[in-house]
């Protein structure tokens, strides 16, 4: 994601909490937290205007653009697949019982 939210940095510089900002701009703390983490797809201009008014900042202070080639993506974590234990005849159902009977 080449656009990075810097809302958390601006809030820290202004020493304002999520709950206080939420109360002042009349937006839920959950939505502010999502914006701080960059888990949003869009921001209304009216919301941005209220945030900038309360934090005394410019929209450019809240977001930063990083070119795609400058972004270093972390290696994705993929958990190891668990090996499946063979089912016992009493747990395995009809297939295992039939197989056991033929052997």
């Amino acid at each position: 994601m080449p656009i990075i939210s810097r809302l958390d940095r601006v809030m820290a510089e202004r020493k304002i909490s999520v709950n206080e900002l939420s109360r002042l701009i009349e937006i839920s703390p959950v939505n502010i937290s999502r914006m701080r983490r960059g888990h949003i797809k869009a921001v209304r201009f009216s919301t941005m205007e209220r945030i900038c008014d309360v934090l005394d900042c410019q929209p450019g202070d809240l977001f930063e653009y990083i070119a795609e080639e400058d972004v270093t993506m972390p290696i994705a974590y993929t958990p190891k697949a668990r090996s499946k234990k063979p089912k016992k005849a009493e747990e395995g159902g009809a297939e295992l019982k039939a197989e056991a009977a033929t052997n």
Side-chain angles (χ1 to χ4, degrees):
M1 172 172 34
I3 296 180
I4 308 297
S5 174
R6 298 296 183 202
L7 178 59
D8 56 342
R9 182 170 44 183
V10 176
M11 288 175 63
E13 289 171 357
R14 307 298 194 275
K15 294 180 171 69
I16 189 168
S17 69
V18 170
N19 289 329
E20 185 178 357
L21 183 60
S22 169
R23 184 180 52 79
L24 292 171
I25 65 173
E26 299 176 348
I27 291 181
S28 75
V30 172
N31 285 336
I32 292 173
S33 292
R34 293 183 75 216
M35 186 180 292
R36 287 176 58 204
R37 291 179 310 207
H39 295 160
I40 58 170
K41 294 187 187 257
V43 181
R44 293 178 189 228
F45 282 156
S46 60
T47 302
M48 185 123 33
E49 182 179 349
R50 291 193 310 254
I51 292 171
C52 289
D53 184 45
V54 168
L55 297 178
D56 190 31
C57 66
Q58 295 295 313
D61 298 331
L62 301 175
F63 300 99
E64 181 178 349
Y65 173 75
I66 299 175
E68 193 71 38
E69 59 270 3
D70 294 339
V71 175
T72 305
M73 298 301 286
I75 298 172
Y77 170 75
T78 53
K80 293 181 180 178
R82 293 184 180 186
S83 61
K84 293 184 178 181
K85 294 180 182 177
K87 294 183 179 180
K88 295 179 184 175
E90 58 269 9
E91 295 176 353
E95 297 94 22
L96 288 178
K97 288 179 184 176
E99 185 179 319
T102 58
N103 290 337

